[in-house]
Amino acid sequence: YMADGFTVSPNPSKTEFKIFSEEIERVDLKVYNAHGILVEEAALNGVSNKTFGINYEPGIYFLRINAGNKTSLQRIVKSE
């Protein structure tokens, strides 16, 4: 999935997710489970990438990405 300078792949994933940011400024990531509980948060500075979700249980998660005045909310799926 790609939106507003961010790429998240693969989705769904059996192992992990990768996010790539083309943003120059700081990017804040927050991942919530289907119950709205925060399970992970991180920050990217500048053009970079991050791997996350390795230890997630199978299910639906929501990735909230904040970069300056841009916000994106994406559904990600950890499959079995």
Side-chain angles (χ1 to χ4, degrees):
Y1 176 82
M2 183 172 181
D4 298 325
F6 309 103
T7 304
V8 179
S9 67
N11 190 18
S13 174
K14 290 183 179 183
T15 57
E16 63 192 19
F17 301 93
K18 293 181 183 173
I19 183 166
F20 175 75
S21 169
E22 297 174 351
E23 292 291 318
I24 300 298
E25 60 194 71
R26 178 185 167 105
V27 176
D28 294 309
L29 311 172
K30 292 186 178 184
V31 181
Y32 299 89
N33 67 15
H35 302 287
I37 298 170
L38 181 67
V39 293
E40 185 170 353
E41 62 184 322
L44 301 174
N45 292 306
V47 176
S48 59
N49 59 42
K50 175 169 178 54
T51 301
F52 65 98
I54 295 168
N55 296 319
Y56 293 4
E57 294 294 321
I60 296 172
Y61 295 85
F62 296 93
L63 171 63
R64 183 179 192 95
I65 305 167
N66 294 312
N69 61 354
K70 290 191 245 179
T71 299
S72 177
L73 182 65
Q74 304 302 321
R75 183 179 76 126
I76 56 176
V77 177
K78 180 77 177 260
S79 57
E80 292 186 46

